[in-house]
mmCIF file with all atom_site columns, all heavy atoms in Angstrom:
data_model
loop_
_atom_site.group_PDB
_atom_site.id
_atom_site.type_symbol
_atom_site.label_atom_id
_atom_site.label_alt_id
_atom_site.label_comp_id
_atom_site.label_asym_id
_atom_site.label_entity_id
_atom_site.label_seq_id
_atom_site.pdbx_PDB_ins_code
_atom_site.Cartn_x
_atom_site.Cartn_y
_atom_site.Cartn_z
_atom_site.occupancy
_atom_site.B_iso_or_equiv
_atom_site.pdbx_formal_charge
_atom_site.auth_seq_id
_atom_site.auth_comp_id
_atom_site.auth_asym_id
_atom_site.auth_atom_id
_atom_site.pdbx_PDB_model_num
ATOM 1   N N   . PRO A 1 1  ? 5.012   12.409  -2.553  1.00 0.00 ? 1  PRO A N   1
ATOM 2   C CA  . PRO A 1 1  ? 6.312   12.227  -3.216  1.00 0.00 ? 1  PRO A CA  1
ATOM 3   C C   . PRO A 1 1  ? 7.324   11.461  -2.361  1.00 0.00 ? 1  PRO A C   1
ATOM 4   O O   . PRO A 1 1  ? 8.524   11.606  -2.546  1.00 0.00 ? 1  PRO A O   1
ATOM 5   C CB  . PRO A 1 1  ? 6.767   13.669  -3.420  1.00 0.00 ? 1  PRO A CB  1
ATOM 6   C CG  . PRO A 1 1  ? 6.267   14.365  -2.183  1.00 0.00 ? 1  PRO A CG  1
ATOM 7   C CD  . PRO A 1 1  ? 4.947   13.707  -1.855  1.00 0.00 ? 1  PRO A CD  1
ATOM 8   N N   . GLN A 1 2  ? 6.844   10.650  -1.427  1.00 0.00 ? 2  GLN A N   1
ATOM 9   C CA  . GLN A 1 2  ? 7.755   9.901   -0.572  1.00 0.00 ? 2  GLN A CA  1
ATOM 10  C C   . GLN A 1 2  ? 8.515   8.845   -1.384  1.00 0.00 ? 2  GLN A C   1
ATOM 11  O O   . GLN A 1 2  ? 7.989   8.321   -2.376  1.00 0.00 ? 2  GLN A O   1
ATOM 12  C CB  . GLN A 1 2  ? 6.976   9.209   0.552   1.00 0.00 ? 2  GLN A CB  1
ATOM 13  C CG  . GLN A 1 2  ? 6.163   10.158  1.414   1.00 0.00 ? 2  GLN A CG  1
ATOM 14  C CD  . GLN A 1 2  ? 7.034   11.170  2.128   1.00 0.00 ? 2  GLN A CD  1
ATOM 15  O OE1 . GLN A 1 2  ? 8.120   10.839  2.601   1.00 0.00 ? 2  GLN A OE1 1
ATOM 16  N NE2 . GLN A 1 2  ? 6.559   12.411  2.199   1.00 0.00 ? 2  GLN A NE2 1
ATOM 17  N N   . PRO A 1 3  ? 9.734   8.518   -0.993  1.00 0.00 ? 3  PRO A N   1
ATOM 18  C CA  . PRO A 1 3  ? 10.478  7.485   -1.732  1.00 0.00 ? 3  PRO A CA  1
ATOM 19  C C   . PRO A 1 3  ? 9.877   6.101   -1.576  1.00 0.00 ? 3  PRO A C   1
ATOM 20  O O   . PRO A 1 3  ? 10.036  5.254   -2.456  1.00 0.00 ? 3  PRO A O   1
ATOM 21  C CB  . PRO A 1 3  ? 11.886  7.561   -1.118  1.00 0.00 ? 3  PRO A CB  1
ATOM 22  C CG  . PRO A 1 3  ? 11.696  8.182   0.222   1.00 0.00 ? 3  PRO A CG  1
ATOM 23  C CD  . PRO A 1 3  ? 10.548  9.137   0.077   1.00 0.00 ? 3  PRO A CD  1
ATOM 24  N N   . VAL A 1 4  ? 9.205   5.834   -0.447  1.00 0.00 ? 4  VAL A N   1
ATOM 25  C CA  . VAL A 1 4  ? 8.489   4.581   -0.245  1.00 0.00 ? 4  VAL A CA  1
ATOM 26  C C   . VAL A 1 4  ? 7.008   4.864   -0.463  1.00 0.00 ? 4  VAL A C   1
ATOM 27  O O   . VAL A 1 4  ? 6.400   5.633   0.276   1.00 0.00 ? 4  VAL A O   1
ATOM 28  C CB  . VAL A 1 4  ? 8.730   4.004   1.160   1.00 0.00 ? 4  VAL A CB  1
ATOM 29  C CG1 . VAL A 1 4  ? 7.890   2.756   1.378   1.00 0.00 ? 4  VAL A CG1 1
ATOM 30  C CG2 . VAL A 1 4  ? 10.208  3.697   1.360   1.00 0.00 ? 4  VAL A CG2 1
ATOM 31  N N   . LEU A 1 5  ? 6.433   4.254   -1.474  1.00 0.00 ? 5  LEU A N   1
ATOM 32  C CA  . LEU A 1 5  ? 5.063   4.573   -1.871  1.00 0.00 ? 5  LEU A CA  1
ATOM 33  C C   . LEU A 1 5  ? 4.018   3.724   -1.162  1.00 0.00 ? 5  LEU A C   1
ATOM 34  O O   . LEU A 1 5  ? 2.868   4.135   -1.032  1.00 0.00 ? 5  LEU A O   1
ATOM 35  C CB  . LEU A 1 5  ? 4.901   4.401   -3.387  1.00 0.00 ? 5  LEU A CB  1
ATOM 36  C CG  . LEU A 1 5  ? 5.840   5.223   -4.269  1.00 0.00 ? 5  LEU A CG  1
ATOM 37  C CD1 . LEU A 1 5  ? 5.490   4.998   -5.745  1.00 0.00 ? 5  LEU A CD1 1
ATOM 38  C CD2 . LEU A 1 5  ? 5.763   6.701   -3.923  1.00 0.00 ? 5  LEU A CD2 1
ATOM 39  N N   . HIS A 1 6  ? 4.391   2.534   -0.731  1.00 0.00 ? 6  HIS A N   1
ATOM 40  C CA  . HIS A 1 6  ? 3.415   1.630   -0.132  1.00 0.00 ? 6  HIS A CA  1
ATOM 41  C C   . HIS A 1 6  ? 3.179   1.962   1.339   1.00 0.00 ? 6  HIS A C   1
ATOM 42  O O   . HIS A 1 6  ? 3.938   2.718   1.961   1.00 0.00 ? 6  HIS A O   1
ATOM 43  C CB  . HIS A 1 6  ? 3.858   0.172   -0.281  1.00 0.00 ? 6  HIS A CB  1
ATOM 44  C CG  . HIS A 1 6  ? 5.134   -0.151  0.435   1.00 0.00 ? 6  HIS A CG  1
ATOM 45  N ND1 . HIS A 1 6  ? 5.189   -0.372  1.798   1.00 0.00 ? 6  HIS A ND1 1
ATOM 46  C CD2 . HIS A 1 6  ? 6.411   -0.290  -0.019  1.00 0.00 ? 6  HIS A CD2 1
ATOM 47  C CE1 . HIS A 1 6  ? 6.427   -0.646  2.150   1.00 0.00 ? 6  HIS A CE1 1
ATOM 48  N NE2 . HIS A 1 6  ? 7.199   -0.602  1.077   1.00 0.00 ? 6  HIS A NE2 1
ATOM 49  N N   . SER A 1 7  ? 2.115   1.368   1.902   1.00 0.00 ? 7  SER A N   1
ATOM 50  C CA  . SER A 1 7  ? 1.743   1.612   3.293   1.00 0.00 ? 7  SER A CA  1
ATOM 51  C C   . SER A 1 7  ? 1.851   0.353   4.144   1.00 0.00 ? 7  SER A C   1
ATOM 52  O O   . SER A 1 7  ? 1.180   0.237   5.176   1.00 0.00 ? 7  SER A O   1
ATOM 53  C CB  . SER A 1 7  ? 0.314   2.174   3.366   1.00 0.00 ? 7  SER A CB  1
ATOM 54  O OG  . SER A 1 7  ? 0.229   3.432   2.737   1.00 0.00 ? 7  SER A OG  1
ATOM 55  N N   . ALA A 1 8  ? 2.687   -0.587  3.723   1.00 0.00 ? 8  ALA A N   1
ATOM 56  C CA  . ALA A 1 8  ? 2.821   -1.836  4.479   1.00 0.00 ? 8  ALA A CA  1
ATOM 57  C C   . ALA A 1 8  ? 3.249   -1.589  5.917   1.00 0.00 ? 8  ALA A C   1
ATOM 58  O O   . ALA A 1 8  ? 2.730   -2.216  6.855   1.00 0.00 ? 8  ALA A O   1
ATOM 59  C CB  . ALA A 1 8  ? 3.806   -2.774  3.781   1.00 0.00 ? 8  ALA A CB  1
ATOM 60  N N   . ASP A 1 9  ? 4.199   -0.686  6.109   1.00 0.00 ? 9  ASP A N   1
ATOM 61  C CA  . ASP A 1 9  ? 4.681   -0.427  7.470   1.00 0.00 ? 9  ASP A CA  1
ATOM 62  C C   . ASP A 1 9  ? 3.603   0.228   8.328   1.00 0.00 ? 9  ASP A C   1
ATOM 63  O O   . ASP A 1 9  ? 3.491   -0.063  9.523   1.00 0.00 ? 9  ASP A O   1
ATOM 64  C CB  . ASP A 1 9  ? 5.924   0.458   7.420   1.00 0.00 ? 9  ASP A CB  1
ATOM 65  C CG  . ASP A 1 9  ? 7.116   -0.247  6.797   1.00 0.00 ? 9  ASP A CG  1
ATOM 66  O OD1 . ASP A 1 9  ? 7.118   -1.497  6.772   1.00 0.00 ? 9  ASP A OD1 1
ATOM 67  O OD2 . ASP A 1 9  ? 8.042   0.443   6.326   1.00 0.00 ? 9  ASP A OD2 1
ATOM 68  N N   . LEU A 1 10 ? 2.811   1.121   7.724   1.00 0.00 ? 10 LEU A N   1
ATOM 69  C CA  . LEU A 1 10 ? 1.713   1.754   8.457   1.00 0.00 ? 10 LEU A CA  1
ATOM 70  C C   . LEU A 1 10 ? 0.680   0.718   8.884   1.00 0.00 ? 10 LEU A C   1
ATOM 71  O O   . LEU A 1 10 ? 0.190   0.744   10.017  1.00 0.00 ? 10 LEU A O   1
ATOM 72  C CB  . LEU A 1 10 ? 1.040   2.821   7.589   1.00 0.00 ? 10 LEU A CB  1
ATOM 73  C CG  . LEU A 1 10 ? 1.562   4.250   7.670   1.00 0.00 ? 10 LEU A CG  1
ATOM 74  C CD1 . LEU A 1 10 ? 0.770   5.139   6.726   1.00 0.00 ? 10 LEU A CD1 1
ATOM 75  C CD2 . LEU A 1 10 ? 1.476   4.786   9.091   1.00 0.00 ? 10 LEU A CD2 1
ATOM 76  N N   . VAL A 1 11 ? 0.331   -0.177  7.988   1.00 0.00 ? 11 VAL A N   1
ATOM 77  C CA  . VAL A 1 11 ? -0.638  -1.214  8.323   1.00 0.00 ? 11 VAL A CA  1
ATOM 78  C C   . VAL A 1 11 ? -0.104  -2.086  9.452   1.00 0.00 ? 11 VAL A C   1
ATOM 79  O O   . VAL A 1 11 ? -0.815  -2.402  10.414  1.00 0.00 ? 11 VAL A O   1
ATOM 80  C CB  . VAL A 1 11 ? -0.976  -2.063  7.083   1.00 0.00 ? 11 VAL A CB  1
ATOM 81  C CG1 . VAL A 1 11 ? -1.825  -3.271  7.471   1.00 0.00 ? 11 VAL A CG1 1
ATOM 82  C CG2 . VAL A 1 11 ? -1.707  -1.212  6.041   1.00 0.00 ? 11 VAL A CG2 1
ATOM 83  N N   . ARG A 1 12 ? 1.164   -2.447  9.365   1.00 0.00 ? 12 ARG A N   1
ATOM 84  C CA  . ARG A 1 12 ? 1.775   -3.288  10.410  1.00 0.00 ? 12 ARG A CA  1
ATOM 85  C C   . ARG A 1 12 ? 1.742   -2.581  11.767  1.00 0.00 ? 12 ARG A C   1
ATOM 86  O O   . ARG A 1 12 ? 1.507   -3.213  12.799  1.00 0.00 ? 12 ARG A O   1
ATOM 87  C CB  . ARG A 1 12 ? 3.217   -3.623  10.025  1.00 0.00 ? 12 ARG A CB  1
ATOM 88  C CG  . ARG A 1 12 ? 3.893   -4.614  10.947  1.00 0.00 ? 12 ARG A CG  1
ATOM 89  C CD  . ARG A 1 12 ? 5.309   -4.903  10.505  1.00 0.00 ? 12 ARG A CD  1
ATOM 90  N NE  . ARG A 1 12 ? 5.362   -5.491  9.172   1.00 0.00 ? 12 ARG A NE  1
ATOM 91  C CZ  . ARG A 1 12 ? 5.853   -4.884  8.100   1.00 0.00 ? 12 ARG A CZ  1
ATOM 92  N NH1 . ARG A 1 12 ? 6.344   -3.661  8.187   1.00 0.00 ? 12 ARG A NH1 1
ATOM 93  N NH2 . ARG A 1 12 ? 5.863   -5.493  6.936   1.00 0.00 ? 12 ARG A NH2 1
ATOM 94  N N   . ALA A 1 13 ? 1.966   -1.273  11.746  1.00 0.00 ? 13 ALA A N   1
ATOM 95  C CA  . ALA A 1 13 ? 2.033   -0.528  13.001  1.00 0.00 ? 13 ALA A CA  1
ATOM 96  C C   . ALA A 1 13 ? 0.654   -0.197  13.570  1.00 0.00 ? 13 ALA A C   1
ATOM 97  O O   . ALA A 1 13 ? 0.456   -0.254  14.791  1.00 0.00 ? 13 ALA A O   1
ATOM 98  C CB  . ALA A 1 13 ? 2.820   0.766   12.790  1.00 0.00 ? 13 ALA A CB  1
ATOM 99  N N   . LEU A 1 14 ? -0.296  0.155   12.701  1.00 0.00 ? 14 LEU A N   1
ATOM 100 C CA  . LEU A 1 14 ? -1.574  0.691   13.169  1.00 0.00 ? 14 LEU A CA  1
ATOM 101 C C   . LEU A 1 14 ? -2.715  -0.318  13.128  1.00 0.00 ? 14 LEU A C   1
ATOM 102 O O   . LEU A 1 14 ? -3.701  -0.155  13.852  1.00 0.00 ? 14 LEU A O   1
ATOM 103 C CB  . LEU A 1 14 ? -1.951  1.922   12.334  1.00 0.00 ? 14 LEU A CB  1
ATOM 104 C CG  . LEU A 1 14 ? -0.949  3.076   12.378  1.00 0.00 ? 14 LEU A CG  1
ATOM 105 C CD1 . LEU A 1 14 ? -1.413  4.217   11.488  1.00 0.00 ? 14 LEU A CD1 1
ATOM 106 C CD2 . LEU A 1 14 ? -0.748  3.570   13.814  1.00 0.00 ? 14 LEU A CD2 1
ATOM 107 N N   . ALA A 1 15 ? -2.601  -1.323  12.284  1.00 0.00 ? 15 ALA A N   1
ATOM 108 C CA  . ALA A 1 15 ? -3.634  -2.364  12.212  1.00 0.00 ? 15 ALA A CA  1
ATOM 109 C C   . ALA A 1 15 ? -2.945  -3.720  12.175  1.00 0.00 ? 15 ALA A C   1
ATOM 110 O O   . ALA A 1 15 ? -3.041  -4.465  11.194  1.00 0.00 ? 15 ALA A O   1
ATOM 111 C CB  . ALA A 1 15 ? -4.523  -2.161  10.990  1.00 0.00 ? 15 ALA A CB  1
ATOM 112 N N   . PRO A 1 16 ? -2.225  -4.066  13.236  1.00 0.00 ? 16 PRO A N   1
ATOM 113 C CA  . PRO A 1 16 ? -1.345  -5.247  13.215  1.00 0.00 ? 16 PRO A CA  1
ATOM 114 C C   . PRO A 1 16 ? -2.070  -6.572  13.046  1.00 0.00 ? 16 PRO A C   1
ATOM 115 O O   . PRO A 1 16 ? -1.441  -7.571  12.687  1.00 0.00 ? 16 PRO A O   1
ATOM 116 C CB  . PRO A 1 16 ? -0.625  -5.176  14.565  1.00 0.00 ? 16 PRO A CB  1
ATOM 117 C CG  . PRO A 1 16 ? -1.533  -4.375  15.442  1.00 0.00 ? 16 PRO A CG  1
ATOM 118 C CD  . PRO A 1 16 ? -2.173  -3.368  14.539  1.00 0.00 ? 16 PRO A CD  1
ATOM 119 N N   . GLU A 1 17 ? -3.367  -6.600  13.299  1.00 0.00 ? 17 GLU A N   1
ATOM 120 C CA  . GLU A 1 17 ? -4.107  -7.851  13.152  1.00 0.00 ? 17 GLU A CA  1
ATOM 121 C C   . GLU A 1 17 ? -4.726  -8.008  11.772  1.00 0.00 ? 17 GLU A C   1
ATOM 122 O O   . GLU A 1 17 ? -5.378  -9.024  11.493  1.00 0.00 ? 17 GLU A O   1
ATOM 123 C CB  . GLU A 1 17 ? -5.168  -7.956  14.242  1.00 0.00 ? 17 GLU A CB  1
ATOM 124 C CG  . GLU A 1 17 ? -4.589  -8.046  15.647  1.00 0.00 ? 17 GLU A CG  1
ATOM 125 C CD  . GLU A 1 17 ? -5.666  -8.260  16.692  1.00 0.00 ? 17 GLU A CD  1
ATOM 126 O OE1 . GLU A 1 17 ? -6.562  -9.088  16.452  1.00 0.00 ? 17 GLU A OE1 1
ATOM 127 O OE2 . GLU A 1 17 ? -5.611  -7.587  17.733  1.00 0.00 ? 17 GLU A OE2 1
ATOM 128 N N   . ALA A 1 18 ? -4.522  -7.019  10.903  1.00 0.00 ? 18 ALA A N   1
ATOM 129 C CA  . ALA A 1 18 ? -4.971  -7.130  9.516   1.00 0.00 ? 18 ALA A CA  1
ATOM 130 C C   . ALA A 1 18 ? -3.876  -7.783  8.682   1.00 0.00 ? 18 ALA A C   1
ATOM 131 O O   . ALA A 1 18 ? -2.702  -7.797  9.061   1.00 0.00 ? 18 ALA A O   1
ATOM 132 C CB  . ALA A 1 18 ? -5.315  -5.758  8.961   1.00 0.00 ? 18 ALA A CB  1
ATOM 133 N N   . ARG A 1 19 ? -4.252  -8.327  7.536   1.00 0.00 ? 19 ARG A N   1
ATOM 134 C CA  . ARG A 1 19 ? -3.294  -8.874  6.582   1.00 0.00 ? 19 ARG A CA  1
ATOM 135 C C   . ARG A 1 19 ? -3.112  -7.862  5.454   1.00 0.00 ? 19 ARG A C   1
ATOM 136 O O   . ARG A 1 19 ? -3.984  -7.042  5.209   1.00 0.00 ? 19 ARG A O   1
ATOM 137 C CB  . ARG A 1 19 ? -3.785  -10.226 6.035   1.00 0.00 ? 19 ARG A CB  1
ATOM 138 C CG  . ARG A 1 19 ? -4.140  -11.178 7.160   1.00 0.00 ? 19 ARG A CG  1
ATOM 139 C CD  . ARG A 1 19 ? -4.443  -12.583 6.681   1.00 0.00 ? 19 ARG A CD  1
ATOM 140 N NE  . ARG A 1 19 ? -5.345  -12.672 5.548   1.00 0.00 ? 19 ARG A NE  1
ATOM 141 C CZ  . ARG A 1 19 ? -6.674  -12.545 5.621   1.00 0.00 ? 19 ARG A CZ  1
ATOM 142 N NH1 . ARG A 1 19 ? -7.252  -12.277 6.785   1.00 0.00 ? 19 ARG A NH1 1
ATOM 143 N NH2 . ARG A 1 19 ? -7.419  -12.681 4.551   1.00 0.00 ? 19 ARG A NH2 1
ATOM 144 N N   . TYR A 1 20 ? -1.982  -7.950  4.765   1.00 0.00 ? 20 TYR A N   1
ATOM 145 C CA  . TYR A 1 20 ? -1.623  -6.901  3.800   1.00 0.00 ? 20 TYR A CA  1
ATOM 146 C C   . TYR A 1 20 ? -1.307  -7.495  2.432   1.00 0.00 ? 20 TYR A C   1
ATOM 147 O O   . TYR A 1 20 ? -0.650  -8.541  2.324   1.00 0.00 ? 20 TYR A O   1
ATOM 148 C CB  . TYR A 1 20 ? -0.407  -6.109  4.302   1.00 0.00 ? 20 TYR A CB  1
ATOM 149 C CG  . TYR A 1 20 ? 0.032   -5.002  3.374   1.00 0.00 ? 20 TYR A CG  1
ATOM 150 C CD1 . TYR A 1 20 ? -0.532  -3.737  3.443   1.00 0.00 ? 20 TYR A CD1 1
ATOM 151 C CD2 . TYR A 1 20 ? 1.017   -5.228  2.411   1.00 0.00 ? 20 TYR A CD2 1
ATOM 152 C CE1 . TYR A 1 20 ? -0.128  -2.715  2.584   1.00 0.00 ? 20 TYR A CE1 1
ATOM 153 C CE2 . TYR A 1 20 ? 1.426   -4.214  1.546   1.00 0.00 ? 20 TYR A CE2 1
ATOM 154 C CZ  . TYR A 1 20 ? 0.850   -2.965  1.641   1.00 0.00 ? 20 TYR A CZ  1
ATOM 155 O OH  . TYR A 1 20 ? 1.247   -1.958  0.783   1.00 0.00 ? 20 TYR A OH  1
ATOM 156 N N   . ALA A 1 21 ? -1.762  -6.808  1.401   1.00 0.00 ? 21 ALA A N   1
ATOM 157 C CA  . ALA A 1 21 ? -1.398  -7.108  0.016   1.00 0.00 ? 21 ALA A CA  1
ATOM 158 C C   . ALA A 1 21 ? -1.251  -5.788  -0.722  1.00 0.00 ? 21 ALA A C   1
ATOM 159 O O   . ALA A 1 21 ? -1.777  -4.750  -0.302  1.00 0.00 ? 21 ALA A O   1
ATOM 160 C CB  . ALA A 1 21 ? -2.459  -7.973  -0.656  1.00 0.00 ? 21 ALA A CB  1
ATOM 161 N N   . ARG A 1 22 ? -0.525  -5.834  -1.815  1.00 0.00 ? 22 ARG A N   1
ATOM 162 C CA  . ARG A 1 22 ? -0.298  -4.624  -2.633  1.00 0.00 ? 22 ARG A CA  1
ATOM 163 C C   . ARG A 1 22 ? -0.683  -4.946  -4.068  1.00 0.00 ? 22 ARG A C   1
ATOM 164 O O   . ARG A 1 22 ? -0.202  -5.925  -4.656  1.00 0.00 ? 22 ARG A O   1
ATOM 165 C CB  . ARG A 1 22 ? 1.175   -4.241  -2.544  1.00 0.00 ? 22 ARG A CB  1
ATOM 166 C CG  . ARG A 1 22 ? 1.576   -2.993  -3.342  1.00 0.00 ? 22 ARG A CG  1
ATOM 167 C CD  . ARG A 1 22 ? 1.262   -1.761  -2.594  1.00 0.00 ? 22 ARG A CD  1
ATOM 168 N NE  . ARG A 1 22 ? 2.083   -0.623  -3.009  1.00 0.00 ? 22 ARG A NE  1
ATOM 169 C CZ  . ARG A 1 22 ? 1.601   0.609   -3.200  1.00 0.00 ? 22 ARG A CZ  1
ATOM 170 N NH1 . ARG A 1 22 ? 0.315   0.859   -3.049  1.00 0.00 ? 22 ARG A NH1 1
ATOM 171 N NH2 . ARG A 1 22 ? 2.414   1.593   -3.518  1.00 0.00 ? 22 ARG A NH2 1
ATOM 172 N N   . ALA A 1 23 ? -1.574  -4.147  -4.650  1.00 0.00 ? 23 ALA A N   1
ATOM 173 C CA  . ALA A 1 23 ? -2.002  -4.324  -6.033  1.00 0.00 ? 23 ALA A CA  1
ATOM 174 C C   . ALA A 1 23 ? -2.727  -3.066  -6.481  1.00 0.00 ? 23 ALA A C   1
ATOM 175 O O   . ALA A 1 23 ? -3.085  -2.208  -5.660  1.00 0.00 ? 23 ALA A O   1
ATOM 176 C CB  . ALA A 1 23 ? -2.927  -5.536  -6.170  1.00 0.00 ? 23 ALA A CB  1
ATOM 177 N N   . PHE A 1 24 ? -2.922  -2.935  -7.783  1.00 0.00 ? 24 PHE A N   1
ATOM 178 C CA  . PHE A 1 24 ? -3.692  -1.853  -8.387  1.00 0.00 ? 24 PHE A CA  1
ATOM 179 C C   . PHE A 1 24 ? -3.054  -0.476  -8.207  1.00 0.00 ? 24 PHE A C   1
ATOM 180 O O   . PHE A 1 24 ? -3.726  0.541   -8.352  1.00 0.00 ? 24 PHE A O   1
ATOM 181 C CB  . PHE A 1 24 ? -5.131  -1.817  -7.837  1.00 0.00 ? 24 PHE A CB  1
ATOM 182 C CG  . PHE A 1 24 ? -5.895  -3.089  -8.046  1.00 0.00 ? 24 PHE A CG  1
ATOM 183 C CD1 . PHE A 1 24 ? -6.258  -3.874  -6.962  1.00 0.00 ? 24 PHE A CD1 1
ATOM 184 C CD2 . PHE A 1 24 ? -6.248  -3.512  -9.316  1.00 0.00 ? 24 PHE A CD2 1
ATOM 185 C CE1 . PHE A 1 24 ? -6.967  -5.056  -7.142  1.00 0.00 ? 24 PHE A CE1 1
ATOM 186 C CE2 . PHE A 1 24 ? -6.956  -4.696  -9.510  1.00 0.00 ? 24 PHE A CE2 1
ATOM 187 C CZ  . PHE A 1 24 ? -7.312  -5.465  -8.419  1.00 0.00 ? 24 PHE A CZ  1
ATOM 188 N N   . ASN A 1 25 ? -1.765  -0.443  -7.919  1.00 0.00 ? 25 ASN A N   1
ATOM 189 C CA  . ASN A 1 25 ? -1.114  0.850   -7.688  1.00 0.00 ? 25 ASN A CA  1
ATOM 190 C C   . ASN A 1 25 ? -0.234  1.307   -8.834  1.00 0.00 ? 25 ASN A C   1
ATOM 191 O O   . ASN A 1 25 ? 0.166   2.467   -8.877  1.00 0.00 ? 25 ASN A O   1
ATOM 192 C CB  . ASN A 1 25 ? -0.232  0.774   -6.438  1.00 0.00 ? 25 ASN A CB  1
ATOM 193 C CG  . ASN A 1 25 ? 1.035   -0.038  -6.692  1.00 0.00 ? 25 ASN A CG  1
ATOM 194 O OD1 . ASN A 1 25 ? 0.947   -1.245  -6.925  1.00 0.00 ? 25 ASN A OD1 1
ATOM 195 N ND2 . ASN A 1 25 ? 2.196   0.595   -6.660  1.00 0.00 ? 25 ASN A ND2 1
ATOM 196 N N   . ASN A 1 26 ? 0.118   0.404   -9.755  1.00 0.00 ? 26 ASN A N   1
ATOM 197 C CA  . ASN A 1 26 ? 1.190   0.739   -10.695 1.00 0.00 ? 26 ASN A CA  1
ATOM 198 C C   . ASN A 1 26 ? 0.706   1.053   -12.103 1.00 0.00 ? 26 ASN A C   1
ATOM 199 O O   . ASN A 1 26 ? 1.515   1.176   -13.014 1.00 0.00 ? 26 ASN A O   1
ATOM 200 C CB  . ASN A 1 26 ? 2.239   -0.389  -10.747 1.00 0.00 ? 26 ASN A CB  1
ATOM 201 C CG  . ASN A 1 26 ? 1.703   -1.676  -11.307 1.00 0.00 ? 26 ASN A CG  1
ATOM 202 O OD1 . ASN A 1 26 ? 0.809   -2.264  -10.711 1.00 0.00 ? 26 ASN A OD1 1
ATOM 203 N ND2 . ASN A 1 26 ? 2.235   -2.132  -12.426 1.00 0.00 ? 26 ASN A ND2 1
ATOM 204 N N   . GLN A 1 27 ? -0.596  1.200   -12.277 1.00 0.00 ? 27 GLN A N   1
ATOM 205 C CA  . GLN A 1 27 ? -1.131  1.641   -13.559 1.00 0.00 ? 27 GLN A CA  1
ATOM 206 C C   . GLN A 1 27 ? -2.256  2.632   -13.309 1.00 0.00 ? 27 GLN A C   1
ATOM 207 O O   . GLN A 1 27 ? -2.769  2.749   -12.198 1.00 0.00 ? 27 GLN A O   1
ATOM 208 C CB  . GLN A 1 27 ? -1.620  0.450   -14.391 1.00 0.00 ? 27 GLN A CB  1
ATOM 209 C CG  . GLN A 1 27 ? -0.497  -0.465  -14.833 1.00 0.00 ? 27 GLN A CG  1
ATOM 210 C CD  . GLN A 1 27 ? -0.934  -1.612  -15.724 1.00 0.00 ? 27 GLN A CD  1
ATOM 211 O OE1 . GLN A 1 27 ? -0.149  -2.501  -16.008 1.00 0.00 ? 27 GLN A OE1 1
ATOM 212 N NE2 . GLN A 1 27 ? -2.175  -1.610  -16.174 1.00 0.00 ? 27 GLN A NE2 1
ATOM 213 N N   . THR A 1 28 ? -2.650  3.334   -14.352 1.00 0.00 ? 28 THR A N   1
ATOM 214 C CA  . THR A 1 28 ? -3.683  4.349   -14.223 1.00 0.00 ? 28 THR A CA  1
ATOM 215 C C   . THR A 1 28 ? -5.069  3.717   -14.255 1.00 0.00 ? 28 THR A C   1
ATOM 216 O O   . THR A 1 28 ? -5.254  2.599   -14.733 1.00 0.00 ? 28 THR A O   1
ATOM 217 C CB  . THR A 1 28 ? -3.581  5.366   -15.369 1.00 0.00 ? 28 THR A CB  1
ATOM 218 O OG1 . THR A 1 28 ? -3.870  4.711   -16.611 1.00 0.00 ? 28 THR A OG1 1
ATOM 219 C CG2 . THR A 1 28 ? -2.183  5.980   -15.429 1.00 0.00 ? 28 THR A CG2 1
ATOM 220 N N   . TRP A 1 29 ? -6.055  4.474   -13.777 1.00 0.00 ? 29 TRP A N   1
ATOM 221 C CA  . TRP A 1 29 ? -7.415  3.942   -13.741 1.00 0.00 ? 29 TRP A CA  1
ATOM 222 C C   . TRP A 1 29 ? -7.931  3.655   -15.146 1.00 0.00 ? 29 TRP A C   1
ATOM 223 O O   . TRP A 1 29 ? -8.777  2.764   -15.339 1.00 0.00 ? 29 TRP A O   1
ATOM 224 C CB  . TRP A 1 29 ? -8.352  4.906   -13.010 1.00 0.00 ? 29 TRP A CB  1
ATOM 225 C CG  . TRP A 1 29 ? -8.637  6.194   -13.740 1.00 0.00 ? 29 TRP A CG  1
ATOM 226 C CD1 . TRP A 1 29 ? -7.952  7.363   -13.622 1.00 0.00 ? 29 TRP A CD1 1
ATOM 227 C CD2 . TRP A 1 29 ? -9.686  6.421   -14.674 1.00 0.00 ? 29 TRP A CD2 1
ATOM 228 N NE1 . TRP A 1 29 ? -8.501  8.323   -14.441 1.00 0.00 ? 29 TRP A NE1 1
ATOM 229 C CE2 . TRP A 1 29 ? -9.570  7.768   -15.097 1.00 0.00 ? 29 TRP A CE2 1
ATOM 230 C CE3 . TRP A 1 29 ? -10.712 5.643   -15.208 1.00 0.00 ? 29 TRP A CE3 1
ATOM 231 C CZ2 . TRP A 1 29 ? -10.441 8.354   -16.020 1.00 0.00 ? 29 TRP A CZ2 1
ATOM 232 C CZ3 . TRP A 1 29 ? -11.583 6.212   -16.131 1.00 0.00 ? 29 TRP A CZ3 1
ATOM 233 C CH2 . TRP A 1 29 ? -11.442 7.549   -16.525 1.00 0.00 ? 29 TRP A CH2 1
ATOM 234 N N   . GLU A 1 30 ? -7.413  4.356   -16.142 1.00 0.00 ? 30 GLU A N   1
ATOM 235 C CA  . GLU A 1 30 ? -7.871  4.108   -17.507 1.00 0.00 ? 30 GLU A CA  1
ATOM 236 C C   . GLU A 1 30 ? -7.567  2.682   -17.966 1.00 0.00 ? 30 GLU A C   1
ATOM 237 O O   . GLU A 1 30 ? -8.313  2.107   -18.769 1.00 0.00 ? 30 GLU A O   1
ATOM 238 C CB  . GLU A 1 30 ? -7.217  5.100   -18.475 1.00 0.00 ? 30 GLU A CB  1
ATOM 239 C CG  . GLU A 1 30 ? -7.709  6.531   -18.331 1.00 0.00 ? 30 GLU A CG  1
ATOM 240 C CD  . GLU A 1 30 ? -6.861  7.370   -17.390 1.00 0.00 ? 30 GLU A CD  1
ATOM 241 O OE1 . GLU A 1 30 ? -6.140  6.780   -16.548 1.00 0.00 ? 30 GLU A OE1 1
ATOM 242 O OE2 . GLU A 1 30 ? -6.904  8.611   -17.478 1.00 0.00 ? 30 GLU A OE2 1
#
C-alpha cells in the first residue's frame, strides 16, 4: 500500500548497471 508503487528507485540503488522500464502494472491479468 505504498504511495509510490514502482521500483525505479530500488533498481537504481541496487542494480545501477541495469536499465529500467515500467509496463504491465496498471491492468489485471485477465
Side-chain angles (χ1 to χ4, degrees):
Q2 303 298 321
V4 176
L5 303 183
H6 63 79
S7 296
D9 293 339
L10 269 179
V11 172
R12 187 180 299 112
L14 300 179
E17 295 185 44
R19 308 188 313 282
Y20 180 87
R22 180 82 156 137
F24 302 113
N25 73 294
N26 65 296
Q27 293 183 189
T28 65
W29 70 268
E30 290 93 339

